[in-house]
C-alpha cells in the first residue's frame, strides 16, 4: 500500500474560503438561529476564522540534543522523549479543540472539561507515581535519562502554563461566545436585588441543610478533604477572641454546579452561591476571607498481588487506601492569602511546589455538564451508527436467520462508532444467551457501562443452564469497584467468574461462543480493540472482528484455559498473545520489512496506536528506518520515538489525530512486499501492554476486510483537518488544507462511508 497524500502545511494566513467546513458562528443575539449549515451539517465559519486558528500549542517536551554521530547508539537517551512531557503535549492538543473556532461551541466547552479531567488523572496516576518513587529514593533513570525529581521539576511549569491557558480560553473566548448564544453564567454580585433574594431563599431551602461547616480548633482537628472535591477555606474570628480560626466547607456538587435562574439560559455557580451566603453557617463570627480550593490525591498505591490470599479483598483494601492516599496537588484561588495557603500545605503535608494558584474559575470538569445542555445547533450533528450490511440485511430479509448463520458465510469487521455496537457485538452476545443451541459463552470484562447489556446477557445465559465464564479484571484503574460488583452479581447467577491473573492485567477484549450443531461443536468469536462498553462505543473508535474461523476459535478456547485455569503453555495458531509472544512476533514482522528493503524490494510499515513508549520496539523501528523502510505512525497520545532524526529515523513520520471521537483502535500494517499482513488488537507498543498484560491480536485475512483497513489508514494519513505532524524535537504542528484544496476530515470521511452503507 502506498498512500498518496496531497496534504500540504499552509504557511500563509487563510481566508474564509479556505476553511471549507464548520467553524465559530458569527456574533448572534441570544436565542437566534445560527447561520446556514455547510454540506456536512456544521455551522458556517465566521469570516476570517481560520486566521485565528493556532497552528501550534505551547510545548512540554524538552528533548536532549542528538549527538552528530554517523553510527549512533540507539540506546542513547537523546533519541527518546520523556513520557510524562509527551503526555502533557497530548493534553495541549486536546485543549486546542477548545480553542479551535471550527468546532461547535458546546463541543469546545466539553473539550475544556476533558482537558481538566485528563490533567486530574495525570496527577493521580503519573505525578503520584513519580512522587512515590522520589520519596523512596529511586535513582533509576528513564530511557531519556531523567530521574523522578527531574521529571517532577519539568512537569510543574508546563502545568502552570496549561492551567493559565485554560483560564484564558474560558474567560476570553468561551464565556463571551456562550453569552452571545444565550447561555449566560452570571456572577451573583452583578444580579439585581430581587434575583439575589430569590437565590438566598434557594440557598436556605436547598443548600443550607446539606452543608457541614468544619472549624479547626483544639477540639476539632483538621478535617479530611476528599479527592477532587471543591471546598471553601474560611478565616473567621470570634468577637471576643484573639486571632483567626480556620474553617472548611465542602461544596455539595452531587446535584450539579450550575444553578438555573428564571431567565432561560442563565445560570449561577453553586460555589459562588455558597461563598456569598457562607456567613449563614457561622453566625456570631466575623468572616475575614473565603476562597475556593481543591486537592488531588494519589491513585498510585502499592499493590502486593503475589502476597494476597484474596484478590477481591486486596482490591477493596486498595480502594479504601486510595481514598485516604496522600495529596499530590493543591489548587487554590490566586487571591488566597499566603497564611491560608501555608496552613493548608502544613496540614496536608505538601511542599510549595505542590501548590497551583489558579486565576479565575477553579476546576473545569463541570464544563461538560454545560456541554450537555439542549442546544443542538451548538453541537456536532447527531450521528447514528450504522448496522453492518450483512447483519442489517439478515434482520430485514430473514428475521429467523441468526448471527451465527451469517458468520458461517464470512467474517464481519466492525468499526465503532461508525458501525453500531448494539447491532453487532452486543447482538452477538445477546443472541448467544438466547440461542438454545449455544452451550457455552466465555468473555473478558475490563471496563463496561453502569447498566451493561453484555453482563445482563451473560447472567441470562447462566440462568438458562449454559456454561458461562467471565474473567473480570478487578485491577482496571478507577473501575475496580464497579467490576467487583458485576463479578459478584454474575457469580450469584451461576457465572464462573475469575478475577484476573496474579501479576498480570487481562486487557484482551475477547468473547467465545460454543454452539452445538449437526456436525458437532462449533466456535464463534469476537476479538476487539475496545471494551464491552455500549456508551464509550459511541465515543471511542474501536475495531472488532466477528468470525466463525476454527483457528481463531481454537485459540480462544486455549486462551480461556489459560485465563481461568492458569495454564500458560498454550498453543495459538492465529492469535498473537501477550506477554508470551507479542513482542517477539512484532519484532519479527519489523525485521521482515528490513529484509525486503535490503533485498531491493519495498519495506513498508504503518502502525496506528494510542501510544508508543517501549524502548525495544522503538529501537526496532529505528533500525528499520536506518535500512530505508518507510514507516508511518498514527499515535493519538504520547510518543517517545523521535521521527526525522538524520541517520536514525529519517524515514519515520508521526501524526496524531484529535477530534470528535477518541482514537482508540489499533491497526498494524506490514507491507510484506505486496502480500500485506494486517492485525488489530488490544495492545499498544508500551511496555505495560507487551510485558505486564494479557493482550490479544488477530490477523485479518479476508481480502475485503483487509482493503477496508487499508482504506482507513489511508484516510488517516491524508487527513488535513484533525491531524498534527510531529517533528524530531517532539513539536506538533496542526495540518491545514492547502489553499483551495479539499478538506479531508478523517472522522467525517469514515462517517460518510458508513452513511453510504446505511440500508433503508
Amino acid at each position: 500500500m502506498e498512500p498518496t497524500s496531497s496534504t500540504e502545511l499552509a504557511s500563509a494566513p487563510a481566508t474564509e474560503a479556505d476553511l471549507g467546513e464548520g467553524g465559530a458562528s458569527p456574533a448572534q443575539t441570544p436565542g437566534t438561529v445560527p447561520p446556514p449549515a455547510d454540506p456536512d451539517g456544521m455551522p458556517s465559519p465566521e469570516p476570517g476564522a481560520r486566521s485565528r486558528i493556532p497552528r501550534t500549542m505551547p510545548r512540554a517536551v524538552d528533548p536532549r540534543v542528538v549527538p552528530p554521530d554517523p553510527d549512533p547508539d540507539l540506546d542513547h537517551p537523546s533519541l527518546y522523549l520523556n513520557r510524562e512531557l509527551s503526555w502533557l503535549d497530548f493534553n495541549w492538543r486536546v485543549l486546542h479543540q477548545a480553542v479551535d473556532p471550527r468546532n461547535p461551541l458546546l463541543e469546545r466547552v466539553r473539550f475544556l472539561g476533558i482537558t481538566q479531567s485528563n490533567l486530574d488523572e495525570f496527577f493521580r496516576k503519573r505525578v503520584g507515581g513519580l512522587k512515590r518513587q522520589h520519596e523512596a529514593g529511586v535513582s533509576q533513570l528513564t530511557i531519556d535519562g531523567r530521574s523522578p525529581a527531574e521529571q517532577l521539576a519539568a512537569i510543574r511549569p508546563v502545568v502552570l502554563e496549561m492551567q493559565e491557558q485554560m483560564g484564558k480560553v474560558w474567560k476570553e473566548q468561551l464565556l463571551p461566545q456562550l453569552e452571545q448564544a444565550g447561555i449566560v453564567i452570571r456572577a451573583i454580585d452583578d444580579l439585581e436585588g430581587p434575583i439575589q433574594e430569590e437565590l438566598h431563599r434557594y440557598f436556605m431551602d436547598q443548600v443550607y441543610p446539606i452543608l457541614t461547616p468544619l472549624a479547626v480548633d483544639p477540639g476539632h482537628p483538621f478535617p479530611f478533604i476528599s479527592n477532587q472535591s471543591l471546598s471553601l477555606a474560611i478565616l473567621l474570628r470570634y468577637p471576643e477572641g484573639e486571632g483567626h480560626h480556620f474553617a472548611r466547607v465542602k461544596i455539595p456538587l452531587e446535584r450539579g454546579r450550575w444553578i438555573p435562574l428564571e431567565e432561560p439560559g442563565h445560570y449561577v455557580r453553586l460555589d459562588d452561591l455558597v461563598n456569598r451566603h457562607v456567613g449563614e453557617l457561622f453566625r456570631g463570627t466575623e468572616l475575614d476571607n473565603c476562597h475556593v480550593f481543591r486537592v488531588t490525591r494519589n491513585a498510585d498505591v502499592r499493590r502486593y498481588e503475589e502476597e494476597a490470599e484474596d484478590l477481591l479483598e486486596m482490591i477493596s483494601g486498595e480502594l479504601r487506601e486510595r481514598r485516604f492516599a496522600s495529596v499530590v496537588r493543591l489548587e487554590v484561588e490566586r487571591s488566597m492569602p499566603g497564611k491560608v495557603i501555608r496552613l493548608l500545605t502544613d496540614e496536608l503535608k505538601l511542599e510549595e511546589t505542590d501548590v497551583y494558584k489558579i486565576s479565575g474559575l477553579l476546576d473545569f470538569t463541570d464544563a461538560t455538564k454545560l456541554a450537555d445542555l439542549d442546544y443542538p445547533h451548538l453541537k456536532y450533528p447527531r450521528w447514528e451508527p450504522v448496522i453492518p450490511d450483512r447483519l442489517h440485511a439478515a434482520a430485514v430479509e430473514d428475521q429467523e436467520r441468526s448471527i451465527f448463520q451469517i458468520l458461517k458465510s464470512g467474517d464481519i469487521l466492525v468499526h465503532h462508532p461508525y458501525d453500531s455496537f448494539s447491532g453487532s457485538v452486543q447482538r452477538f452476545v445477546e443472541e448467544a444467551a438466547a440461542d438454545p443451541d449455544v452451550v457455552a459463552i466465555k468473555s473478558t470484562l475490563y471496563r463496561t457501562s453502569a447498566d451493561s447489556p453484555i453482563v445482563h446477557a451473560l447472567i441470562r445465559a447462566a440462568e438458562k443452564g449454559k456454561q458461562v465464564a467471565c474473567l473480570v479484571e478487578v485491577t482496571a484503574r478507577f473501575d475496580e469497584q464497579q467490576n467487583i460488583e458485576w463479578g459478584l452479581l454474575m457469580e450469584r447467577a451461576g457465572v464462573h467468574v475469575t478475577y484476573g491473573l496474579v501479576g498480570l492485567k487481562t486487557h484482551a477484549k475477547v468473547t467465545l461462543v460454543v454452539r452445538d450443531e449437526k456436525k458437532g461443536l462449533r466456535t464463534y468469536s469476537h476479538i476487539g480493540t475496545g471494551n464491552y462498553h455500549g456508551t464509550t462505543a459511541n465515543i471511542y473508535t474501536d475495531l472488532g472482528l466477528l468470525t466463525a474461523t476454527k483457528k481463531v476459535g481454537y485459540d480462544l478456547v486455549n486462551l480461556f484455559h489459560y485465563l481461568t485455569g492458569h495454564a500458560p503453555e498454550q498453543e495459538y495458531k492465529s492469535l498473537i498473545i501477550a506477554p508470551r509472544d507479542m513482542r517477539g512476533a512484532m519484532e519479527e514482522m519489523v525485521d521482515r520489512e528490513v529484509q525486503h528493503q535490503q533485498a531491493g524490494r519495498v519495506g513498508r510499515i504503518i502502525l496506528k496506536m494510542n501510544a508508543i513508549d517501549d524502548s525495544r520496539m522503538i529501537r526496532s523501528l529505528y533500525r528499520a528506518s536506518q535500512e530505508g523502510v518507510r514507516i508511518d505512525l498514527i499515535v493519538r497520545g504520547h510518543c517517545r520515538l523521535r521521527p526525522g532524526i538524520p541517520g536514525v529515523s529519517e524515514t519515520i513520520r508521526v501524526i496524531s489525530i484529535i477530534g470528535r471521537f477518541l482514537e482508540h483502535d489499533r491497526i498494524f500494517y506490514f507491507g510484506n512486499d505486496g502480500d500485506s499482513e494486517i492485525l488489530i488488537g488490544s495492545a499498544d507498543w508500551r511496555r505495560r501492554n507487551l510485558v505486564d498484560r494479557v493482550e490479544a491480536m488477530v490477523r485479518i485475512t479476508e481480502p475485503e476486510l483487509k482493503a477496508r483497513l487499508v482504506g482507513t489508514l489511508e484516510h488517516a494519513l491524508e487527513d488535513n483537518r484533525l491531524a498534527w505532524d510531529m517533528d524530531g524535537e517532539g513539536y506538533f504542528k496542526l495540518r491545514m488544507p492547502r489553499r483551495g484544496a479539499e478538506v479531508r476530515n478523517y472522522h467525517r470521511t469514515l462517517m460518510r462511508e458508513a452513511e453510504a452503507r446505511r440500508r433503508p
Side-chain angles (χ1 to χ4, degrees):
M1 180 186 72
E2 293 295 324
T4 56
S5 175
S6 61
T7 299
E8 292 188 17
L9 299 179
S11 57
T15 64
E16 176 187 0
D18 295 317
L19 193 55
E21 61 173 57
S25 302
Q28 306 168 34
T29 55
T32 59
V33 178
D38 72 6
D40 280 334
M42 296 292 293
S44 297
E46 179 182 356
R50 180 169 166 180
S51 64
R52 297 196 301 276
I53 302 169
R55 295 287 306 284
T56 61
M57 295 294 280
R59 176 167 57 174
V61 293
D62 180 21
R64 307 299 174 98
V65 177
V66 177
D69 189 344
D71 186 22
D73 178 2
L74 297 185
D75 289 321
H76 197 282
S78 66
L79 297 180
Y80 300 88
L81 298 173
N82 182 263
R83 176 174 61 180
E84 318 307 342
L85 298 180
S86 181
W87 186 94
L88 286 170
D89 277 322
F90 156 68
N91 212 36
W92 276 119
R93 300 194 295 279
V94 176
L95 178 57
H96 182 274
Q97 305 305 309
V99 176
D100 195 332
R102 296 173 297 176
N103 292 329
L105 179 57
L106 285 183
E107 304 298 349
R108 294 172 61 189
V109 172
R110 189 186 308 280
F111 275 113
L112 182 63
I114 293 172
T115 303
Q116 176 77 63
S117 180
N118 286 347
L119 197 57
D120 291 345
E121 185 171 329
F122 176 75
F123 268 87
R124 296 199 70 197
K125 294 169 64 175
R126 303 307 313 160
V127 174
L130 287 172
K131 287 178 69 69
R132 190 158 66 83
Q133 291 176 35
H134 177 57
E135 292 163 1
V138 173
S139 58
Q140 183 177 355
L141 303 182
T142 59
I143 59 172
D144 57 289
R146 289 178 171 86
S147 68
E150 288 175 317
Q151 294 178 83
L152 288 169
I155 286 168
R156 177 173 169 79
V158 178
V159 174
L160 286 170
E161 184 175 9
M162 186 176 292
Q163 290 184 318
E164 187 71 19
Q165 290 298 323
M166 291 165 65
K168 287 183 178 179
V169 170
W170 174 252
K171 181 179 179 181
E172 299 174 8
Q173 297 185 37
L174 298 181
L175 277 181
Q177 292 182 42
L178 284 169
E179 184 168 354
Q180 291 173 1
I183 303 172
V184 185
I185 311 301
R186 305 291 300 273
I188 294 180
D189 288 344
D190 296 337
L191 296 174
E192 297 177 354
I195 303 177
Q196 289 195 12
E197 291 174 6
E198 181 62 31
L199 282 171
H200 180 254
R201 286 192 292 271
Y202 175 88
F203 172 82
M204 296 303 297
D205 293 342
Q206 301 296 326
V207 182
Y208 181 81
I210 303 174
L211 299 176
T212 304
L214 298 172
V216 176
D217 58 32
H220 299 84
F222 189 83
F224 172 76
I225 312 294
S226 55
N227 178 59
Q228 293 173 208
S229 60
L230 209 59
S231 300
L232 294 179
I234 303 160
L235 279 188
L236 51 86
R237 72 170 81 234
Y238 297 102
E240 299 179 357
E242 295 183 0
H244 291 90
H245 293 269
F246 175 83
R248 176 255 186 165
V249 174
K250 180 178 179 179
I251 306 297
L253 296 175
E254 292 77 14
R255 295 191 294 172
R257 190 174 185 179
W258 313 102
I259 302 172
L261 300 177
E262 285 191 6
E263 186 172 358
H266 286 229
Y267 301 85
V268 296
R269 299 195 328 266
L270 177 60
D271 45 309
D272 193 11
L273 179 66
V274 176
N275 195 341
R276 169 85 175 186
H277 298 293
V278 73
E280 300 281 4
L281 281 73
F282 300 97
R283 294 169 185 166
T285 67
E286 298 176 7
L287 273 62
D288 275 10
N289 58 71
C290 181
H291 293 84
V292 179
F293 73 97
R294 182 174 181 255
V295 304
T296 307
R297 292 187 177 272
N298 194 351
D300 186 63
V301 298
R302 292 174 176 82
R303 177 176 292 166
Y304 303 100
E305 291 185 30
E306 291 81 359
E307 301 174 12
E309 295 183 3
D310 186 316
L311 187 60
L312 285 187
E313 183 177 341
M314 185 205 76
I315 295 299
S316 298
E318 179 182 305
L319 292 175
R320 290 190 293 271
E321 182 182 349
R322 188 184 297 167
R323 181 169 178 260
F324 297 98
S326 60
V327 174
V328 295
R329 177 180 58 165
L330 171 64
E331 298 169 276
V332 302
E333 289 183 305
R334 188 172 296 278
S335 56
M336 179 179 282
K339 60 183 177 182
V340 180
I341 296 176
R342 286 191 295 273
L343 184 149
L344 289 172
T345 54
D346 288 346
E347 293 290 349
L348 297 170
K349 298 180 174 57
L350 296 174
E351 303 292 334
E352 183 179 347
T353 53
D354 299 320
V355 179
Y356 289 81
K357 297 179 180 180
I358 307 296
S359 299
L361 184 65
L362 196 153
D363 183 14
F364 289 105
T365 54
D366 294 302
T368 56
K369 301 299 183 183
L370 284 178
D372 289 335
L373 293 174
D374 189 20
Y375 291 82
H377 63 289
L378 300 178
K379 300 182 183 182
Y380 291 124
R382 180 177 172 82
W383 169 250
E384 188 68 35
V386 175
I387 297 176
D389 285 355
R390 287 164 55 207
L391 294 178
H392 183 277
V396 172
E397 298 164 8
D398 185 357
Q399 296 290 339
E400 301 301 319
R401 195 177 181 207
S402 73
I403 194 170
F404 308 110
Q405 292 172 308
I406 298 168
L407 290 176
K408 288 178 184 178
S409 62
D411 296 350
I412 295 176
L413 182 72
V414 291
H415 196 183
H416 316 300
Y418 314 106
D419 295 320
S420 169
F421 179 84
S422 61
S424 58
V425 179
Q426 182 178 320
R427 174 183 168 183
F428 175 68
V429 179
E430 289 179 334
E431 280 198 26
D435 190 334
D437 293 328
V438 168
V439 295
I441 307 173
K442 303 182 182 184
S443 187
T444 57
L445 189 69
Y446 191 75
R447 302 187 197 277
T448 191
S449 51
D451 187 25
S452 171
I454 299 291
V455 173
H456 289 306
L458 295 177
I459 289 173
R460 290 196 301 273
E463 291 172 343
K464 290 177 179 290
K466 304 179 190 299
Q467 292 291 316
V468 182
C470 185
L471 188 138
V472 178
E473 184 49 72
V474 291
T475 65
R477 188 90 61 136
F478 305 130
D479 279 80
E480 298 96 336
Q481 187 60 51
Q482 179 169 278
N483 285 2
I484 289 173
E485 292 170 0
W486 278 129
L488 295 175
L489 185 64
M490 286 191 287
E491 278 187 330
R492 287 194 289 270
V495 176
H496 302 291
V497 178
T498 302
Y499 293 101
L501 300 174
V502 172
L504 293 173
K505 278 188 178 181
T506 300
H507 192 247
K509 325 296 186 181
V510 294
T511 295
L512 172 71
V513 172
V514 182
R515 200 163 181 265
D516 189 4
E517 301 180 355
K518 291 180 180 180
K519 295 182 180 181
L521 296 180
R522 181 156 186 172
T523 57
Y524 299 85
S525 311
H526 172 261
I527 303 94
T529 68
N531 301 303
Y532 292 106
H533 196 306
T535 301
T536 58
N538 291 317
I539 305 168
Y540 293 17
T541 69
D542 272 306
L543 288 157
L545 179 70
L546 290 161
T547 180
T549 305
K550 291 182 180 180
K551 286 184 179 180
V552 175
Y554 173 86
D555 286 359
L556 280 190
V557 168
N558 286 342
L559 177 59
F560 278 104
H561 287 171
Y562 167 42
L563 295 176
T564 61
H566 295 194
E569 294 303 320
Q570 298 292 342
E571 178 186 16
Y572 302 105
K573 298 178 179 179
S574 182
L575 299 183
I576 301 176
I577 303 299
R580 194 184 77 169
D581 303 323
M582 191 171 291
R583 193 207 295 270
M586 295 291 103
E587 288 176 331
E588 288 178 7
M589 292 180 195
V590 174
D591 290 343
R592 185 179 60 194
E593 298 306 310
V594 170
Q595 293 167 15
H596 285 307
Q597 192 73 29
Q598 291 173 334
R601 298 184 291 270
V602 176
R604 188 72 171 103
I605 299 172
I606 308 175
L607 309 173
K608 187 174 188 297
M609 292 177 279
N610 298 320
I612 176 169
D613 63 28
D614 185 81
S615 59
R616 274 182 55 179
M617 298 312 304
I618 293 175
R619 285 195 299 271
S620 182
L621 292 175
Y622 281 162
R623 286 191 292 268
S625 180
Q626 289 175 323
E627 295 296 333
V629 177
R630 286 183 56 210
I631 301 168
D632 278 298
L633 303 180
I634 306 163
V635 184
R636 183 199 78 218
H638 71 264
C639 175
R640 304 190 78 166
L641 176 148
R642 297 179 65 175
I645 301 297
V648 178
S649 57
E650 291 178 79
T651 65
I652 302 178
R653 296 189 304 173
V654 178
I655 70 169
S656 174
I657 292 178
I658 309 289
R660 171 174 184 166
F661 303 126
L662 187 144
E663 292 296 308
H664 194 254
D665 46 22
R666 300 156 176 105
I667 309 173
F668 305 85
Y669 171 94
F670 299 92
N672 195 25
D673 193 36
D675 185 18
S676 63
E677 189 162 6
I678 307 179
L679 306 94
I680 64 172
S682 57
D684 296 312
W685 280 9
R686 304 182 62 186
R687 186 188 184 281
R688 70 178 193 179
N689 296 101
L690 301 175
V691 176
D692 300 324
R693 295 184 173 190
V694 177
E695 306 275 10
M697 285 185 186
V698 62
R699 292 175 175 85
I700 305 300
T701 58
E702 291 194 7
E704 182 182 345
L705 304 189
K706 290 175 68 174
R708 183 177 171 190
L709 289 175
V710 167
T712 298
L713 293 172
E714 287 180 331
H715 293 323
L717 294 174
E718 294 170 353
D719 178 276
N720 59 15
R721 167 62 177 84
L722 308 176
W724 297 72
D725 286 292
M726 177 184 177
D727 66 17
E729 299 298 300
Y731 200 39
F732 282 88
K733 194 170 189 178
L734 179 65
R735 284 184 181 177
M736 289 283 186
R738 181 181 169 183
R739 192 182 303 274
E742 176 189 1
V743 176
R744 296 180 175 179
N745 181 321
Y746 174 61
H747 291 165
R748 299 257 189 98
T749 299
L750 293 182
M751 291 164 73
R752 283 195 287 265
E753 288 188 351
E755 191 64 45
R757 298 193 302 268
R758 191 185 298 276
R759 297 289 191 91

